Structures are given as structure tokens and as C-alpha cells.
Amino acid sequence: MKCNICEIGCDLAEGQSGQCRMYINKDDRIIERFSNNYFTMFPVSIETVPLLHYYPRGTFLQVCTVGCNFKCEGCISEILASRLLSTNKKSGISNENVINKALHEDCIGIVFCLNDPAVSYFTFCDLANKARENNLLIGCSTNGYFTENALKELIPLIDFVNIGIKGYSDERYISCGARGSGPVFRNLKLLKESDVHVEVSTIYIKGSEDEVINTAKFVSSLSRDISFQVMRFVPFGDAAPQIEPTIRESEVLCGKLKQYLNHVYLFNSPGTDHLNTVCAQCSNIIFQREFFGPMGSRTLSYLPQGMCECSNPALFRGEVSEVSYHEPGFMGGYRITRALEMIHAILVCLGVKDDHKLAEIWANVMETGYLEEFHASSQDLNSYFDVIEHFAALADRKKEGMELVAYMREKLDFIRSVTNDIERPRVYYCMGYPLFALNGERIENNLVEAAGGESVNKLINREGKPGVGISHNEFCDMNPEFIFISGFLSTPVSDSYAYCKKYGLSADAIKNRRIYDLRPLWDFGSPRWILGLMYIANKLHPEIFNFDIDKEANQFYKRFYGVSFDSSRHNRSFYSVSSRQ
């Protein structure tokens, strides 16, 4: 029989599952294989989902299961979409538990996101019913590939939705394992006409500007006021870096989209001002926001009641919350997927290649609550070695763990011993544009200090995730002698100099042309930070250090990845060290 939940429409023989592997044909009925099987459940601010025009600053309970009906290159949720399926087991969390958790945490609603509710359709419908019974708002983030009948059954149960659009053409959807783009735009129109609050997010892959523009044109035919979120594509998996647009290129595209839509937002772009809600009539900033982790944002300030005197009163749905929830550690939005990838990165270096073993360890982290300790320990260079030993024990790879720790400790101890009593230059670490400063306690700034620098980021007395925007004056007062750009969400050095010129930023680092970028994931997220440490030491103290970085990288890659280092095949994956070209 044919599965009638999503438009891929898999043919399911008796006892068989389809592309998403989440349903089975049992006695000529479509049955959910893992019903009520939640992987995560924690409170978040609605802007991290992200939704920007719905109950701004409101606290919602974020839940997800595992699995996805799509197979997209460079997926930010690949871990939840596919890898955890190999050891999926009952979580012990019922929909009643979810409701009770939401009420206990003073959440005003529940949002299903991170993976797609289409693979847990019956669970989600039941959850939505129970949420309504308890006066909780309910909605989801989804690729929107439901069949028309499945969506019509869902619509009376939900209040809001963020539709993630892959592109306008059939080709973009075929590349994700779907049949074409038509069902998504049909469903978007149906949701809007049904008075469900709708926001749209769309992937921007370099060279696919027309896909985004044509999508914007369609959305504008429904309403110019729909929140339109451009997700700058960052190849989190093993996708090639050549298809990653820069922040600057993404901002240019957003400028073009504003001829069709009143509210265009840019995500995955630390330091951009394209996250602000601006009045379409007078250009006043109604909500000022900043980058808050992958796919997320947070509100910094807003006009009273979130209203400009001349703005459309129907722009936002729901009241602005007086209190904004701040997620601890890796909790909230898509940061948890990055945490699991960081664990994966360590396990790969220990020789763990089996997906089943990997998923077992991930499950252990979630069940034991180790994630909070992992967040703190992974930022400190010394305690990072304890983290390696922790996962080596879980993976029964103690010998390999000792070898990795010994290698990294030797390099770290040598660099520290040489820089112990030397004059330290002022060093500033940014992510994306220069005015987005990484939090002082992060591992990148600890690398700076180990390499013989003084981290000026530690002078900043406020924090975000992973950092905060700083003012022109704050930057100039710190007057860094060196600037490093994060290897995680970066921007080209040339764009950084152009930004500094445009905004009149002055510092010794700019004057002396000492802005440097890190190779992806050589300063955060994997044991490769030991290579980043050597690179930083070379730049800060060339009179002392002369590491042959390519040679060091080749030795590390051969020893712990079993492959040679190839600088032309880098990517932004924490655990994979080469991309598909």
C-alpha cells in the first residue's frame, strides 16, 4: 500500500518501511514504528526555532524525535535525521510527560522541530490535541511535504508553522529525495488561507540565487508581511565548501528580496544587522536581534509592545513576553546537534566508525545528563582531555584515548612552556563579521592564551551563544594587535577588512594587516584544535614558533583519521575531514 502521510508516497509491502524508515505496513495499516519516542525535550525562546513574528520572546518547549523523509546534502540535523535510527529505542517520554514538562517550565506552547514531524505524524497529532486541551500553543518547523489530506487533518490542531523551503525548482527537491517542489507551495498557500501563523525559511546555496528569489516572489503573492528567513548555507556535513555563500553575498541577496517582501532576515551570519525587524513605513527598528547559534537569533531590544506607530498591527501574532528564556549550555535550537557532532569528532579520532556504537554513546550522553558537563569541559584545554578519556571509556577505546591525549598534551605543554614568561599581544577573536565577539570562556580564546596572547574577549562582561555583538567604541578601545576569525562560521579576511573600512573600525591589527582566519574546525568542535593552536602560535610569535602546519596536519590526519591531509578538500564537518568535490 502507499504511505499517505508525505508526498513521496512510498509503496510499503506488508511489514516493510519506506524512505524515512519511520512507518511500517502492518495489516494494511500505516503504523508509526517509534511512537511517542522523543529524543530531546527542553524549553527554548521562540526566536531559536526560529520564529520571529509569533509571540516574540515567548518560552516554548522544544521537542524532537529522530528521522526525516528528506535526504539533503549538508543537513544541519543529519544526526537526528539518519544516524540515530540505528539504535532507536523507547525514550520513556509520553505525550503526557511532554505536556507536564511544558506546564512545569511555564512554557506558553510546544514546538516540534530539529527533525520533521512528518516522520512522527500520529505522535504529533496526538500531542497537538493534548496541547489544545491544556491551553498550550502548538506548532512545528517542517519541510512541509505532507500530503494535502494529511495536512488538512493537522491544520485544525496547530497554531503556527515554519516551512523550510529547499528551493523553488523541482530539481532542488529531487536532490533531497523528494518528487518536486509543487506540494510545498500548495501546502504553504493552504496553511496561510487557513489562518495558521506561517513563517518561511529558505536555504541559500551559492549560485542558487534564482531559487531564493523565485521562492520570495511566491511568498509575496500570499503576503508581503510573511517573515522570510534566508538560511545562509553552511556545509555542516561533508558538502563542498565552494557552495557556501559569504555573509556579504547573502546580505546582497537579502537586499534584492526586499523589493518583494517587507521582512527579510538573514541567519547563520554572525554580526549581520539583517536579523532586525524594521518598520516598512518609517524604517524604525522594531526588534533588534543578534546571531544566537546556528539557525537561531535572540532579541536585544524592542519598541514597547513590539509596535511602531505606523507599522501594520497584524505583523506580529501574540504579545511580547516580558521575560526572555536563556537556554543553558548546548540546550536550545540546533546547538544540541553541534554538541553531538563534537562527540562524534572525538570518537572518530578514537577509531569508532560503527554508527550503532556511535548512536549508543549519544543516547548515553542524553540519558545520563552528561551534556551539561560536556559543554563546560569542552571549552577548557585541560578538561578537554578528561572528555576524551570519558568517551574512550564508553567506546572501549582506552588505549586509543590515551594515545590521542598524549599527542595533544605534548604539543600543548611545549607551547605553554615556551610562552610562559613572554610579552603577550592583545588578541581579539570574532565569528563572522568583526563586531561579533566570541564569549571569553570559549576554547578559541583559551587557545589564544596558551599560544602566548592576551585575550581581550575576556574583558567583555556579557555573553551570548556563542558570543555577542559589540559596539564600534568597544572594539576600538580594546585595540587588538591581532584578530582571528572563527573557523566555524567565518567570513573571508578580505570581507573583514572591507567591513572595517566601511564602519570606520580602527585597531593595530587592521593597520598592520594582522587579521587571520582559521581552517574550518581547527579551533572548535574537534580535537583538531591542537592544529589551530600551532597555527595561532606561529602568527603571534613567529620569532619563537615555526611549525610546518601542513606537515603537522598530515601527521595528525594520518595518525587519527587514517587519511592524508588535503587542504583543498576541507569542509565544516566536525567529524569528517574531507568534502565531496
Side-chain angles (χ1 to χ4, degrees):
M1 65 183 301
K2 187 178 290 292
C3 179
N4 58 3
I5 295 171
C6 96
E7 285 284 358
I8 294 174
C10 298
D11 289 315
L12 307 183
E14 176 70 24
Q16 298 298 308
S17 58
Q19 179 166 296
C20 74
R21 296 181 286 168
M22 295 296 284
Y23 298 98
I24 194 169
N25 177 356
K26 184 176 181 180
D27 300 327
D28 288 331
R29 292 176 58 219
I30 302 297
I31 302 295
E32 211 175 317
R33 292 179 64 201
F34 309 105
S35 60
N36 299 339
N37 197 32
Y38 295 99
F39 183 69
T40 65
M41 179 175 66
F42 41 77
V44 299
S45 173
I46 193 68
E47 286 90 355
T48 67
V49 173
L51 282 125
L52 302 184
H53 289 190
Y54 191 75
Y55 285 82
R57 292 163 44 95
T59 302
F60 285 71
L61 189 72
Q62 175 179 288
V63 299
C64 75
T65 56
V66 300
C68 188
N69 52 340
F70 280 15
K71 298 177 180 179
C72 303
E73 183 182 34
C75 175
I76 191 173
S77 294
E78 177 198 16
I79 286 169
L80 298 175
S82 60
R83 290 186 177 273
L84 278 164
L85 280 174
S86 65
T87 186
N88 206 5
K89 58 182 179 180
K90 275 292 180 184
S91 64
I93 302 172
S94 67
N95 278 338
E96 288 77 11
N97 294 146
V98 176
I99 298 298
N100 290 337
K101 176 75 169 176
L103 295 172
H104 177 74
E105 297 284 356
D106 293 325
C107 298
I108 61 174
I110 299 170
V111 56
F112 190 119
C113 61
L114 301 188
N115 76 314
D116 202 284
V119 301
S120 301
Y121 179 77
F122 304 118
T123 290
F124 183 54
C125 287
D126 180 63
L127 177 64
N129 267 312
K130 288 181 169 60
R132 284 290 176 88
E133 292 169 2
N134 287 272
N135 297 315
L136 290 166
L137 299 166
I138 182 76
C140 63
S141 179
T142 173
N143 58 38
Y145 218 62
F146 297 102
T147 62
E148 187 170 2
N149 286 338
L151 183 61
K152 284 181 176 178
E153 290 184 16
L154 183 62
I155 281 174
L157 306 178
I158 60 174
D159 302 294
F160 62 91
V161 63
N162 184 320
I163 299 288
I165 296 180
K166 309 303 177 183
Y168 189 77
S169 68
D170 288 338
E171 287 75 18
R172 280 291 300 129
Y173 277 84
I174 291 169
S175 73
C176 293
R179 297 183 181 276
S181 63
V184 175
F185 294 100
R186 177 201 68 208
N187 290 344
L188 177 59
K189 185 173 186 290
L190 179 58
L191 284 159
K192 180 63 178 174
E193 291 173 346
S194 301
D195 200 35
V196 174
H197 177 80
V198 175
E199 302 194 20
V200 170
S201 61
T202 187
I203 297 293
Y204 168 38
I205 296 174
K206 189 170 184 174
S208 68
E209 290 78 7
D210 285 348
E211 297 277 357
V212 181
I213 290 171
N214 288 332
T215 299
K217 288 179 179 178
F218 179 88
V219 172
S220 70
S221 72
L222 303 178
S223 171
R224 286 186 60 92
D225 282 332
I226 291 176
S227 168
F228 191 84
Q229 305 161 4
V230 177
M231 297 295 168
R232 183 175 75 95
F233 179 75
V234 180
F236 289 111
D238 62 354
Q242 289 82 358
I243 58 177
E244 176 184 338
T246 67
I247 297 175
R248 195 176 185 183
E249 290 168 338
S250 303
E251 290 178 333
V252 170
L253 176 61
C254 288
K256 294 178 180 178
L257 298 178
K258 288 181 179 179
Q259 64 182 294
Y260 309 108
L261 294 156
N262 291 333
H263 302 287
V264 178
Y265 303 101
L266 177 59
F267 284 78
N268 299 334
S269 304
T272 185
D273 60 3
H274 284 260
L275 282 172
N276 299 332
T277 298
V278 178
C279 176
Q281 302 300 318
C282 70
S283 298
N284 275 344
I285 295 177
I286 303 174
F287 276 83
Q288 182 186 11
R289 304 185 187 89
E290 71 179 2
F291 173 80
F292 200 64
M295 310 279 277
S297 68
R298 73 164 177 174
T299 297
L300 299 176
S301 63
Y302 59 96
L303 297 180
Q305 287 79 51
M307 293 294 295
C308 181
E309 290 182 358
C310 56
S311 64
N312 180 356
L315 179 60
F316 297 95
R317 186 172 294 192
E319 296 180 354
V320 181
S321 174
E322 293 183 3
V323 179
S324 180
Y325 185 82
H326 292 280
E327 303 86 346
F330 286 121
M331 300 295 101
Y334 290 81
R335 290 191 299 277
I336 190 170
T337 62
R338 306 284 70 77
L340 298 179
E341 281 200 350
M342 289 169 65
I343 295 168
H344 191 181
I346 293 172
L347 294 172
V348 165
C349 287
L350 301 179
V352 177
K353 299 180 180 179
D354 178 63
D355 274 1
H356 186 80
K357 186 65 177 179
L358 176 66
E360 278 186 350
I361 292 172
W362 279 333
N364 174 275
V365 169
M366 301 304 294
E367 291 166 2
T368 61
Y370 181 73
L371 198 62
E372 184 175 352
E373 181 180 342
F374 174 62
H375 179 265
S377 298
S378 62
Q379 305 299 332
D380 180 82
L381 303 187
N382 291 324
S383 60
Y384 191 93
F385 300 132
D386 298 332
V387 171
I388 293 175
E389 291 171 353
H390 175 85
F391 288 113
L394 287 179
D396 196 23
R397 298 269 178 161
K398 290 185 179 181
K399 179 182 176 182
E400 291 83 354
M402 290 173 61
E403 181 183 355
L404 178 59
V405 167
Y407 177 92
M408 296 178 71
R409 273 195 185 278
E410 181 182 2
K411 300 290 185 183
L412 174 61
D413 290 346
F414 167 70
I415 293 172
R416 277 178 166 167
S417 68
V418 175
T419 60
N420 191 39
D421 296 315
I422 63 174
E423 185 175 345
R424 293 173 174 265
R426 299 180 305 279
V427 182
Y428 173 71
Y429 226 116
C430 63
M431 180 177 282
Y433 278 153
L435 289 182
F436 191 86
L438 285 174
N439 291 336
E441 83 283 357
R442 278 183 62 99
I443 190 171
E444 295 92 333
N445 295 307
N446 292 326
L447 292 176
V448 163
E449 296 198 331
E454 176 193 351
S455 171
V456 297
N457 294 60
K458 298 195 174 188
L459 302 174
I460 302 170
N461 60 9
R462 59 193 186 283
E463 294 185 354
K465 292 185 182 298
V468 293
I470 64 172
S471 70
H472 175 285
N473 288 341
E474 284 178 297
F475 177 88
C476 294
D477 287 346
M478 289 188 292
N479 188 24
E481 297 169 78
F482 291 83
I483 296 173
F484 289 97
I485 307 169
S486 166
F488 180 35
L489 292 173
S490 62
T491 197
V493 170
S494 58
D495 282 7
S496 293
Y497 281 119
Y499 182 97
C500 292
K501 183 178 180 180
K502 178 179 178 180
Y503 291 98
L505 299 181
S506 62
D508 289 345
I510 301 167
K511 180 176 64 176
N512 296 320
R513 309 297 286 184
R514 287 178 175 171
I515 299 180
Y516 304 102
D517 56 356
L518 272 288
R519 285 191 171 116
L521 286 311
W522 277 25
D523 55 353
F524 169 77
S526 86
R528 279 172 276 170
W529 62 252
I530 196 65
L531 300 174
L533 174 62
M534 288 184 270
Y535 174 84
I536 293 169
N538 275 0
K539 297 301 182 185
L540 296 185
H541 297 289
E543 74 285 0
I544 301 175
F545 298 109
N546 188 29
F547 291 108
D548 185 333
I549 298 299
D550 284 354
K551 181 180 178 181
E552 294 285 352
N554 197 48
Q555 290 176 350
F556 186 88
Y557 278 44
K558 282 186 174 181
R559 188 168 178 179
F560 298 108
Y561 295 115
V563 298
S564 298
F565 170 66
D566 183 349
S567 61
S568 68
R569 295 178 66 86
H570 70 270
N571 63 9
R572 299 205 181 279
S573 169
F574 290 165
Y575 58 87
S576 176
V577 293
S578 64
S579 62
R580 294 195 299 267
Q581 298 294 316

